[in-house]
């Protein structure tokens, strides 16, 4: 049981750092997302580039992993 808690804790920390990094990459006013063309409009496609869509998908997947690891740690540490 202790090994499972240690593994999930390390996974939780890695996912948390990745989530912060991915959120900081999103386009905003002068954010890090501007490096990847976050401020450019893509014609009639609504301004969403492939890089932005993939960044959104990665952020959602990372957020789901973060929530799952949080719930797992809560269940394991609650016993």
């Amino acid at each position: 049981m202790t090994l499972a808690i240690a593994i999930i804790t390390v996974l939780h920390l890695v996912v948390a750092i990745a989530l912060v990094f991915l959120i900081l990459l999103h386009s905003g006013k002068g954010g890090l997302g501007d490096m990847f063309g976050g401020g450019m409009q893509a014609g009639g496609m609504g301004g969403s580039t492939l890089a932005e869509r993939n960044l959104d998908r990665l952020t959602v997947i990372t957020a789901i992993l973060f929530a799952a690891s949080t719930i797992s740690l809560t269940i394991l540490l609650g016993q």
Side-chain angles (χ1 to χ4, degrees):
M1 187 67 94
T2 308
L3 181 62
I5 293 173
I7 291 171
I8 294 174
T9 301
V10 169
L11 177 71
H12 188 71
L13 288 173
V14 169
V15 169
I17 292 169
L19 186 60
V20 168
F21 180 71
L22 287 171
I23 289 171
L24 287 175
L25 277 177
H26 277 277
S27 63
K29 293 187 177 183
L32 292 175
D34 290 340
M35 290 189 308
F36 300 107
M40 295 175 19
Q41 296 295 324
M45 295 173 42
S48 181
T49 63
L50 181 63
E52 287 177 338
R53 286 192 302 260
N54 288 336
L55 183 62
D56 289 342
R57 290 177 186 142
L58 281 174
T59 304
V60 168
I61 291 169
T62 307
I64 290 170
L65 287 174
F66 181 79
S69 66
T70 301
I71 292 169
S72 299
L73 280 174
T74 302
I75 291 170
L76 288 175
L77 293 175
Q79 296 177 357

